[in-house]
Amino acid sequence: MEQYAIEMKGITKTFGKVIANHDVNLQLRKGEILALLGENGSGKTTLMNMLSGIYFPDHGSIKVNGTEVSIQSPKDAFDHGIGMIHQHFKLVDVLTAAENIVLGLKGGITIDRKSTNKKVKELGDKYGFDVDPAKKIYNMAVSEKQTVEILKVLYRGAEILILDEPTAVLTPQEVDKLFAVLRNMKEDGKSIIIITHKLHEVLSISDRVAILRKGEYIGTIETATANQSTLTEMMVGHAISLEIKHPEVEQGPEMLRVHDLTCLNSEKVKALDGVNFSAFGGEVLGIAGIAGSGQKELCEAIAGLYPITGGTVLFRQKKDGVEVMENIGGQDAQNIHKKGVSYVPMAFVPEDRLGMGLVASMDMVDNVMLRSYKDNKGFFVDRKPPKELSEKLIKDLEIVTPGVSTPVRRLSGGNVQKVLLGREISFGPDVLVVSYPVRGLDINSSYKIYDLLNEQKKKGVAVIFVGEDLDVLLEISDRILVMCGGKVSGIVNAKETTKEELGLYMIKVGGGKEEIA
Amino acid sequence: MLSIILKLIVAAVLAGTPLLFGALGEILTEKSGNTNLGVEGMMYMGAVSGIAGAFFYGKAAGGAPVGVVAVLIALVVSFLIGALGALIYAFLTITLRANQNVTGLTLTIFGTGFGNFFGDFIAKNAGGSLVVTDGVKAMFKGIAIPGLSKIPVLGTLLFNYNWMVYFAVIVAVVMAWFFKRSRVGLNLRAVGEDPATADAAGINVTRYKYVATVVGGGICGIGGMYISMVSQNGVWVFDCVSGYGWLAVALVIFATWDCNRAILVALVFGALKIMRLYVALPIPSQFYDMAPYIVTIIVLVITSMRESREHAQPKSCGTNYFREER
């Protein structure tokens, strides 16, 4: 009988009434890379958290190297040589890389920072990481933080590594680098589980794929025998078309013009630096870039939520029957009202849906009303129109909810997004800014959202789509604007570009072309 | 003129010491991610238990207590009772995950009542006043350190205090070293900044939080004992702590959670506290009482404008940690 590095049998975990994992079996061979595939909410992370000691299973057994173990805490996990790199990095901001790495370890009363730094550096060199052990975490870029996370696990002598969606925050080039490091580790005899929902990554890195669906174990297959459609079918439960529709619409008038837009962040550093672009009706303008390259600031500046230091944001307005571009950037909604611009022709779907987009503890009617209550005359609000609109949204967008008076917090991610997007669309904007609209959504909901956006495009709306998945951006967008360090790195035609080209634009303004030429 | 300034500084040190104890206790507590607003209460508990400990020992020793033993008893008892107050807080916030601010405020109310009730109760039973013997009182008087105290100016300035002043400074320096250099200190800082991370790194978050909070409470208790034994000269005075605990909380902010800085800030606060006795301005005395808080507000404004990540309150303060939260 083969001895597995990890063998999980009949694992069940519930949170209150929610069953996160039901009777899951999983085997990890020694020295292999196993991809754990599943949609969001399918219980991948929960399952792995039980290996790393964050959660404790309700039922089932875990064997490490053939011996049955009970993993009660992260410390137990380390003792069994299991290390997990979490999706949301578990690093202490105000400490250095090396301090984070030795955190919680046994040793002398004091910490010899010099020798720890040296050891960390050596370990990094061994696997091909570039790391400054004395750098504070809050000064680090995302990819550096991930490096620290991986080193932390290796430093503890982990033989089994679990990576939870490690590529979500990386550029294609950084992903390649990470995969090279993972292959190095595999050569070194380490067993690796990588959680992901990106199919092409599964196919390029893993030896075998285990698939979860809605908390249940579907099966494990050899990667060599799999392809994108078989994996999708196992993951979703039925065959679905993976193609994102791309309706051809004639380009409309210029709806939004951003001219030389500059914003300073709280540290007085330029979050946006001389941004210039236009958005036209009837097109989807994709915005790509490494997380934190200024996408958030750009969206919020357009929406009037972020203070503008220089430049203008012009919207197409009808004034005395003549269409003009009016500068209403950098002013909040109230000021715009006072200025006599009765209608702000834009809608914004922020990435933080329940923080910025909707009030989590209020019901759908109240949330819909937030957008319109000011049109109400008099002291009292009229709840009837928003209620009707909510009911219409539930019907049209197939929102799954017990009713209009259920707090939106209780809805699933996909339904929350439908409420938010539905509300914004219903006011008939000229410009629709959506920020990471499918983050955390399952495949079916994602496609529903893409359809809604395409519908708006057909209506002549200028859709600005900030996304992280380049494959999706390439398919849905007409043009793609790539941001890098707060600047527009390049605007390319989505049909004529490649992922690699976008990646180059993401890490260097202008894609480094000037240097080659 | 010089002698007035010298007197002012010496008085400021004496008034600042209980504040320093309270602040050190609170820094230790907050470094574990617990904001314990019960400092005032724990100081009351320490104040009454310290003096009562020395008093009952004196009675048991037939009115002729050994000074050193009385001091030790006062120290240990005040520490334990302060820690007991913190233990209530710790149980409520760490184990039962009650709201930290509400629990802390309640502890202040409880501790104030505890101190004043037992203080007056023991005093009544003892025939009117709760007071330690003269021998014990002498143990809390300033000690002229042989040789050093004879140095002009510096001698008065540095080498003529009671032992608790030096003890407070030692505790501060040791704590600063502990946070900066020691492994356990690093772990504790991690717990206060980001308990989920500390947990994932294999640190027992609950144990760290309990120990830091309880020891922190004990240090606050010692600060209370200083008030009853040194400031009030070994006599129980109703409402004696009155506001020192809150000043200590303000001091923590002013010192930006830095133990070494806390020594200096305690001196400043001590000076502000006794200023009215030395500098007579034609303003109502309440303005003097306000001064430390106004300074703290200014510091808060400045530090929040600077947005420094490192000289700030540990990030998880105010929120309780629950591992399986989703």
Side-chain angles (χ1 to χ4, degrees):
Chain A
M1 211 184 93
E2 187 181 354
Q3 205 194 64
Y4 293 105
I6 285 180
E7 194 174 3
M8 299 176 91
K9 239 189 202 154
I11 299 288
T12 298
K13 175 77 189 171
T14 55
F15 294 98
K17 278 182 191 158
V18 183
I19 300 166
N21 286 127
H22 181 245
D23 199 16
V24 175
N25 302 307
L26 188 82
Q27 286 130 2
L28 174 68
R29 289 184 187 147
K30 284 184 181 161
E32 78 163 349
I33 298 180
L34 175 76
L36 184 57
L37 184 67
E39 294 192 88
N40 283 296
S42 60
K44 296 169 301 209
T45 305
T46 308
L47 185 68
M48 289 303 106
N49 274 338
M50 284 186 273
L51 279 182
S52 66
I54 304 283
Y55 301 149
F56 192 73
D58 299 341
H59 299 288
S61 69
I62 300 172
K63 279 185 188 170
V64 176
N65 296 324
T67 353
E68 184 153 342
V69 295
S70 160
I71 302 171
Q72 308 259 11
S73 71
K75 209 178 145 293
D76 291 350
F78 289 133
D79 294 343
H80 295 301
I82 301 171
M84 180 154 170
I85 290 103
H86 295 268
Q87 188 180 7
H88 305 287
F89 300 137
K90 298 215 183 274
L91 295 170
V92 181
D93 260 1
V94 295
L95 302 184
T96 67
E99 283 171 343
N100 266 289
I101 287 168
V102 298
L103 201 62
L105 291 182
K106 290 220 160 49
I109 292 171
T110 58
I111 292 166
D112 181 355
R113 282 179 170 71
K114 243 189 206 152
S115 78
T116 342
N117 286 359
K118 207 171 135 239
K119 267 197 248 167
V120 169
K121 188 90 199 141
E122 281 168 8
L123 190 66
D125 292 343
K126 185 180 163 196
Y127 290 103
F129 288 115
D130 190 28
V131 67
D132 175 5
K135 199 170 174 182
K136 293 263 163 86
I137 299 296
Y138 66 81
N139 286 326
M140 287 189 172
V142 188
S143 61
E144 279 175 289
K145 288 184 193 170
Q146 186 176 58
T147 304
V148 176
E149 277 280 17
I150 297 173
L151 281 174
K152 184 162 121 186
V153 170
L154 291 173
Y155 192 91
R156 282 147 208 257
E159 287 301 316
I160 299 159
L161 278 89
I162 304 164
L163 294 99
D164 189 358
E165 308 229 2
T167 60
V169 291
L170 304 180
T171 62
Q173 281 80 3
E174 285 168 339
V175 170
D176 289 343
K177 226 168 136 190
L178 173 71
F179 282 2
V181 170
L182 291 183
R183 289 193 189 100
N184 276 347
M185 292 181 194
K186 187 180 139 188
E187 296 290 301
D188 205 36
K190 310 224 181 279
S191 318
I192 298 166
I193 299 179
I194 171 168
I195 303 180
T196 182
H197 57 240
K198 294 182 188 166
L199 298 172
H200 59 95
E201 287 176 358
V202 172
L203 294 171
S204 77
I205 185 84
S206 70
D207 300 307
R208 294 192 308 148
V209 199
I211 292 141
L212 291 184
R213 188 200 309 152
K214 291 183 180 153
E216 306 216 16
Y217 175 72
I218 302 301
T220 304
I221 53 173
E222 298 283 333
T223 308
T225 67
N227 61 40
Q228 296 224 356
S229 57
T230 54
L231 289 178
T232 315
E233 209 177 319
M234 287 181 80
M235 189 159 98
V236 184
H238 52 90
I240 59 165
S241 161
L242 277 178
E243 209 180 326
I244 299 171
K245 289 192 200 92
H246 187 104
E248 290 303 325
V249 179
E250 203 179 320
Q251 199 181 67
E254 187 181 28
M255 291 290 191
L256 167 76
R257 189 192 302 154
V258 172
H259 179 67
D260 211 18
L261 182 65
T262 301
C263 295
L264 298 180
N265 66 11
S266 52
E267 272 120 50
K268 302 279 170 246
V269 180
K270 279 183 184 171
L272 290 177
D273 190 357
V275 171
N276 280 305
F277 72 92
S278 291
F280 298 90
E283 74 158 359
V284 175
L285 175 67
I287 295 187
I290 305 170
S293 299
Q295 299 96 317
K296 187 166 178 257
E297 289 82 359
L298 178 60
C299 292
E300 292 184 6
I302 293 173
L305 298 169
Y306 203 86
I308 292 175
T309 318
T312 48
V313 178
L314 304 161
F315 285 96
R316 186 162 158 273
Q317 285 278 311
K318 261 206 176 105
K319 243 192 181 166
D320 308 326
V322 190
E323 286 179 358
V324 289
M325 297 301 279
E326 173 104 16
N327 180 21
I328 51 176
Q331 305 183 20
D332 56 37
Q334 269 116 9
N335 267 332
I336 294 170
H337 259 285
K338 274 185 206 145
K339 231 179 137 192
V341 183
S342 57
Y343 163 62
V344 188
M346 75 151 301
F348 177 38
V349 176
E351 55 182 296
D352 183 8
R353 285 162 217 151
L354 286 181
M356 217 170 149
L358 299 170
V359 181
S361 56
M362 295 197 333
D363 66 20
M364 221 177 131
V365 178
D366 288 342
N367 270 299
V368 166
M369 198 157 59
L370 280 179
R371 193 85 158 83
S372 61
Y373 75 98
K374 280 203 177 125
D375 303 338
N376 239 268
K377 291 262 172 346
F379 187 71
F380 296 102
V381 290
D382 183 3
R383 290 177 62 91
K384 225 172 150 194
K387 192 167 175 224
E388 281 162 8
L389 179 58
S390 302
E391 278 159 359
K392 187 172 171 299
L393 288 177
I394 291 175
K395 218 173 93 215
D396 292 353
L397 305 186
E398 297 158 15
I399 297 169
V400 182
T401 168
V404 287
S405 51
T406 306
V408 291
R409 185 184 55 213
R410 299 235 193 102
L411 308 188
S412 74
N415 288 312
V416 167
Q417 184 67 310
K418 282 182 197 166
V419 171
L420 180 53
L421 191 59
R423 179 184 81 186
E424 295 300 318
I425 288 173
S426 66
F427 291 91
D430 286 344
V431 178
L432 174 63
V433 181
V434 289
S435 189
Y436 305 106
V438 296
R439 180 182 277 174
L441 266 53
D442 60 38
I443 291 199
N444 283 320
S445 305
S446 298
Y447 278 76
K448 182 79 197 168
I449 300 292
Y450 299 145
D451 286 346
L452 284 171
L453 294 177
N454 278 328
E455 227 168 79
Q456 291 300 304
K457 173 178 155 183
K458 280 193 227 160
K459 278 188 188 161
V461 175
V463 179
I464 297 177
F465 183 112
V466 181
E468 49 201 342
D469 191 332
L470 294 181
D471 294 297
V472 171
L473 278 174
L474 283 169
E475 283 186 67
I476 200 169
S477 315
D478 295 283
R479 293 184 301 146
I480 298 176
L481 182 156
V482 189
M483 300 203 65
C484 174
K487 290 183 179 156
V488 174
S489 182
I491 301 181
V492 291
N493 190 324
K495 279 206 191 72
E496 291 157 10
T497 189
T498 59
K499 250 178 17 181
E500 286 64 36
E501 192 189 10
L502 291 177
L504 288 173
Y505 277 117
M506 281 161 80
I507 47 178
K508 197 151 194 182
V509 174
K513 273 187 190 142
E514 294 86 349
E515 280 170 34
I516 302 163
Chain B
M1 187 63 202
L2 180 71
S3 72
I4 292 180
I5 295 176
L6 271 182
K7 265 188 194 156
L8 175 71
I9 295 176
V10 169
V13 169
L14 291 173
T17 304
L19 295 175
L20 182 56
F21 276 117
L24 291 173
E26 182 65 8
I27 289 176
L28 186 61
T29 308
E30 291 199 15
K31 286 283 180 186
S32 78
N34 283 340
T35 314
N36 188 350
L37 294 179
V39 178
E40 176 96 355
M42 295 183 294
M43 284 177 85
Y44 263 111
M45 292 169 79
V48 77
S49 57
I51 193 170
F55 172 76
F56 284 119
Y57 162 67
K59 259 182 129 177
V66 183
V68 180
V69 179
V71 165
L72 276 178
I73 285 175
L75 184 67
V76 171
V77 172
S78 64
F79 179 87
L80 288 180
I81 297 297
L84 180 74
L87 186 65
I88 301 172
Y89 171 88
F91 179 70
L92 284 168
T93 61
I94 302 168
T95 304
L96 302 181
R97 292 189 283 277
N99 180 298
Q100 294 186 4
N101 293 340
V102 174
T103 311
L105 290 171
T106 315
L107 178 57
T108 285
I109 297 165
F110 170 76
T112 308
F114 180 98
N116 283 330
F117 169 74
F118 281 106
D120 283 8
F121 180 75
I122 296 167
K124 200 177 163 212
N125 280 347
S129 61
L130 167 53
V131 57
V132 295
T133 61
D134 290 344
V136 177
K137 278 183 188 169
M139 294 300 293
F140 287 92
K141 290 269 183 330
I143 309 158
I145 295 171
L148 290 175
S149 59
K150 295 284 179 290
I151 307 170
V153 185
L154 272 186
T156 331
L157 213 50
L158 295 177
F159 303 111
N160 258 314
Y161 298 111
N162 65 76
W163 66 271
M164 287 192 79
V165 173
Y166 304 110
F167 182 58
V169 173
I170 292 169
V171 172
V173 173
V174 169
M175 270 175 62
W177 173 87
F178 169 76
F179 289 130
K180 209 163 175 189
R181 297 274 161 232
S182 80
R183 196 173 288 271
V184 178
L186 180 72
N187 292 351
L188 179 63
R189 274 166 65 203
V191 169
E193 288 289 337
D194 190 343
T197 296
D199 195 6
I203 298 168
N204 188 334
V205 174
T206 306
R207 190 199 303 163
Y208 268 81
K209 273 177 170 272
Y210 258 100
V211 172
T213 305
V214 168
V215 173
I219 296 174
C220 292
I222 294 175
M225 187 267 276
Y226 182 99
I227 293 173
S228 57
M229 298 304 266
V230 180
S231 305
Q232 307 294 358
N233 238 330
V235 183
W236 173 257
V237 178
F238 188 82
D239 260 354
C240 58
V241 178
S242 69
Y244 267 87
W246 292 113
L247 268 179
V249 174
L251 201 159
V252 173
I253 298 165
F254 198 161
T256 59
W257 293 265
D258 180 325
C259 297
N260 285 333
R261 215 171 285 177
I263 302 175
L264 284 177
V265 178
L267 186 66
V268 173
F269 273 31
L272 291 172
K273 189 103 183 131
I274 47 92
M275 191 75 104
R276 83 180 88 176
L277 305 175
Y278 295 85
V279 185
L281 295 175
I283 48 170
S285 70
Q286 282 81 357
F287 280 89
Y288 287 100
D289 295 338
M290 266 186 247
Y293 296 102
I294 291 170
V295 178
T296 303
I297 290 169
I298 293 168
V299 169
L300 258 180
V301 170
I302 293 169
T303 48
S304 54
M305 268 162 58
R306 274 175 53 214
E307 286 188 26
S308 163
R309 299 247 202 162
E310 289 174 63
H311 301 294
Q313 189 179 38
K315 230 186 284 158
S316 81
C317 272
T319 43
N320 298 321
Y321 178 62
F322 176 43
R323 187 190 280 167
E324 298 210 358
E325 195 149 29
R326 315 214 329 157

